[in-house]
Amino acid sequence: MAKERFFLELEPSDAEMKRWPHVVIVGGGFAGLKAAHRLAGKPVRVTLVDKRNFNLFQPLLYQVASGLVSEADVATPLRQMLAKAANVQVLLGEVVDLDPTAREVVFNDRRLRYDSLILATGSGSTYFGHEEWRELAPPMKILEHADEIRRRLLSALEEAEQTPDPDRCRFLQSVVVVGGGPSGCELAGSINELMRHASRRDFRHLDPRVCRVVLVDPGDRVLRAMDPVLSKAAADYLGSRGVELVLGGRVQSIEAGRLTVAFKSPPPGAPAERVLEAATICWSAGVRASHLGRLLADRTGCAVDRGGRVVVEPDFSIAGHPEIRIVGDLCTYTHTIDGKPLPGMAGPAVQMGGWVALDLLAQLKGQRQPPFRWFDFGSMAVIGPLCAVADLRGLKFTGPLGWLLWGLAHLAFMPDNENRITLLTKWLWMIATNQSASLLITGRSDQHMGVEVGLERAERERDSLAEPAAA
């Protein structure tokens, strides 16, 4: 296996640069990109490795799924974002192994040595032991997932347009969203608006009154992480727009076009199970860390929690390996004032990545960085056109004002100015016309759901090689 040399070592623009320490960042999401930006132009050589060549603004994936915006509006090429940093290189590839002793990462059949390693590979979706549900109920973690949800949704409406059978038409115009967190509420609200407006405006034979969107969650309310007042406001709004809430039940089974929900304590006279039939089923109920966390645990013996997140020290390192830092959704950080782990959101990820980069630079100068302190800006979720709920450090907002604050926050976190402009333009167009901008059916049913997140592909290859030997 060939050893990969940092490209600046081949023809360095500055002889001094050859002696700079090498920082490898794995993952170009919120945390990894922030770390790279903080290290840009500093006396370190930086290699950013990602299996994709773009940074994805994941909080707006639901808008891609519901056709409000296009893929390019929420994704920006990493090379474009770091082009002005002479000390940073971007390499396309998936890290499949680590050698902490040699301080090397393995990807593309190459070994790349590091002085410091920042792992920021994020998270994927979990089906709680039922991976067979993945193809029947796509998650919403990467662009291909959002594309697939949109393809299934619009294809169902197209078929319903040509279906004379009213029962079949009702089935095709039904959607079930599993998970009542921010992603689930945002997806359910946007799909509901799309279906009702599209069936009224763009299709000649569809009845918008037949459209049905059901949101399923095992809790007693949606948005359980937010204040009950905001949860109620969100539930009331979704209900007023026609979204049906099925709370207090867990998914027992998913088949093609059919989902069964079981209730542990059903109301008197209510059945213990309920079957929901819908042409489109979406999953936003579970999150698990990238498989790189468990791989790191195998190689170093570090601790991981039940979700596969790496338990880190106050400086985001792991025991015995101060040169390895874990940030973003891949880590579980409990060194907070109240001892609660940092939430898996964009805000904490950005702050983690920025702090670790500054800490590495402080170490080069023989200095100590002040301890990490997370600044909690609050939480928010958009649930419909010009309607959102927001809790900003105890200040609660709902309706149009909540939506305005949500929009400003998301535009501020958007890392690319061009995307800020296009998003603002499309949002204003949607408000003025009630029209979605990107209602395209692309791809085939077999193109998206095989896309892997994390190291599933590498693990499956290892399992397939082991099976003949075991036999």
Side-chain angles (χ1 to χ4, degrees):
M1 189 179 295
K3 277 197 176 184
E4 177 71 11
R5 300 177 67 191
F6 188 81
F7 79 101
L8 292 178
E9 292 179 349
L10 303 179
E11 295 180 6
S13 57
D14 187 338
E16 181 70 17
M17 198 175 291
K18 288 187 65 174
R19 295 190 290 271
W20 289 354
H22 186 199
V23 179
V24 172
I25 303 172
V26 183
F30 286 111
L33 183 62
K34 184 63 176 182
H37 275 142
R38 281 281 172 86
L39 296 174
K42 299 299 190 292
V44 291
R45 295 171 290 130
V46 180
T47 299
L48 175 61
V49 182
D50 199 299
K51 60 189 289 186
R52 302 183 182 277
N53 75 332
F54 56 84
N55 169 269
L56 175 64
F57 195 77
Q58 206 173 65
L60 293 182
L61 263 185
Y62 78 93
Q63 295 198 2
V64 178
S66 57
L68 290 174
V69 300
S70 67
E71 294 90 337
D73 296 327
V74 299
T76 308
L78 289 168
R79 294 185 183 278
Q80 177 180 315
M81 303 178 79
L82 296 165
K84 296 181 180 179
N87 66 318
V88 179
Q89 72 170 350
V90 178
L91 300 179
L92 182 66
E94 181 179 2
V95 171
V96 296
D97 207 350
L98 302 164
D99 187 343
T101 303
R103 294 194 178 187
E104 292 176 340
V105 295
V106 179
F107 72 104
N108 296 348
D109 294 326
R110 295 182 174 90
R111 303 180 74 89
L112 185 67
R113 193 182 185 283
Y114 59 84
D115 295 298
S116 295
L117 176 64
I118 301 176
L119 297 180
T121 48
S123 62
S125 298
T126 179
Y127 287 77
F128 307 109
H130 293 277
E131 280 301 308
E132 70 275 12
W133 294 351
R134 185 177 294 272
E135 292 189 5
L136 301 170
M140 196 175 59
K141 279 293 182 180
I142 57 178
L143 274 180
E144 286 82 358
H145 295 157
D147 286 340
E148 176 64 8
I149 291 173
R150 185 181 62 201
R151 189 196 66 78
R152 294 187 184 194
L153 177 64
L154 296 179
S155 295
L157 293 180
E158 291 289 349
E159 183 182 343
E161 176 77 349
Q162 305 175 45
T163 302
D165 181 355
D167 291 334
R168 177 67 179 173
C169 195
R170 188 176 296 107
F171 169 77
L172 291 168
Q173 289 180 253
S174 298
V175 179
V176 174
V177 178
V178 181
S183 295
C185 288
E186 290 169 345
L187 183 61
S190 61
I191 287 179
N192 183 64
E193 294 297 325
L194 166 65
M195 292 181 64
R196 296 182 188 279
H197 286 302
S199 60
R200 181 182 301 112
R201 182 187 59 244
D202 301 328
F203 292 87
R204 297 292 179 264
H205 305 291
L206 297 187
D207 184 353
R209 294 171 298 180
V210 175
C211 294
R212 183 190 187 201
V213 177
V214 183
L215 182 62
V216 178
D217 190 85
D220 58 352
R221 60 188 175 97
V222 297
L223 301 176
R224 280 177 285 164
M226 300 184 74
D227 188 278
V229 173
L230 298 180
S231 294
K232 184 178 185 305
D236 290 345
Y237 177 87
L238 290 172
S240 70
R241 305 297 284 191
V243 177
E244 181 182 348
L245 302 182
V246 177
L247 303 177
R250 294 188 178 276
V251 176
Q252 289 297 107
S253 65
I254 299 179
E255 306 167 47
R258 179 190 294 262
L259 180 145
T260 302
V261 182
F263 301 91
K264 187 175 182 180
S265 302
E273 286 190 350
R274 183 175 175 186
V275 176
L276 301 172
E277 295 187 346
T280 307
I281 302 175
C282 309
W283 185 271
S284 67
V287 177
R288 57 118 181 101
S290 159
H291 290 281
L292 206 57
R294 296 199 183 277
L295 177 63
L296 182 66
D298 290 341
R299 298 293 181 264
T300 66
C302 68
V304 295
D305 65 12
R306 291 189 301 173
R309 291 174 289 268
V310 179
V311 180
V312 297
E313 302 292 327
D315 63 352
F316 296 95
S317 66
I318 57 176
H321 292 276
E323 76 282 359
I324 299 177
R325 310 291 185 102
I326 321 295
V327 292
D329 290 351
L330 185 57
C331 80
T332 177
Y333 187 92
T334 58
H335 308 283
T336 53
I337 295 176
D338 57 7
K340 295 182 180 179
L342 293 179
M345 300 189 302
V350 169
Q351 294 179 45
M352 291 183 216
W355 186 90
V356 165
L358 292 177
D359 192 53
L360 293 178
L361 295 175
Q363 288 183 0
L364 293 177
K365 299 177 182 178
Q367 301 173 354
R368 296 190 65 179
Q369 172 84 340
F372 176 78
R373 289 290 181 267
W374 171 49
F375 185 85
D376 184 5
F377 290 97
S379 57
M380 53 185 63
V382 63
I383 50 179
L386 290 178
C387 186
V389 293
D391 185 349
L392 305 181
R393 301 182 65 80
L395 299 176
K396 300 174 181 61
F397 305 91
T398 60
L401 181 55
W403 185 91
L404 177 62
L405 294 171
W406 170 90
L408 291 174
H410 281 67
L411 290 176
F413 271 109
M414 178 65 63
D416 183 68
N417 287 329
E418 181 180 349
N419 281 1
R420 288 193 185 102
I421 296 172
T422 57
L423 279 173
L424 180 59
T425 302
K426 290 185 177 182
W427 289 346
L428 293 176
W429 174 258
M430 181 269 297
I431 293 170
T433 66
N434 278 328
Q435 290 186 358
S436 297
S438 303
L439 296 181
L440 302 178
I441 299 176
T442 58
R444 305 189 310 269
S445 60
D446 61 346
Q447 285 184 320
H448 298 318
M449 294 316 298
V451 175
E452 312 287 7
V453 178
L455 297 176
E456 291 99 330
R457 182 171 65 251
E459 290 185 346
R460 288 178 182 175
E461 289 175 354
R462 286 198 297 268
D463 291 343
S464 65
L465 291 175
E467 286 175 3

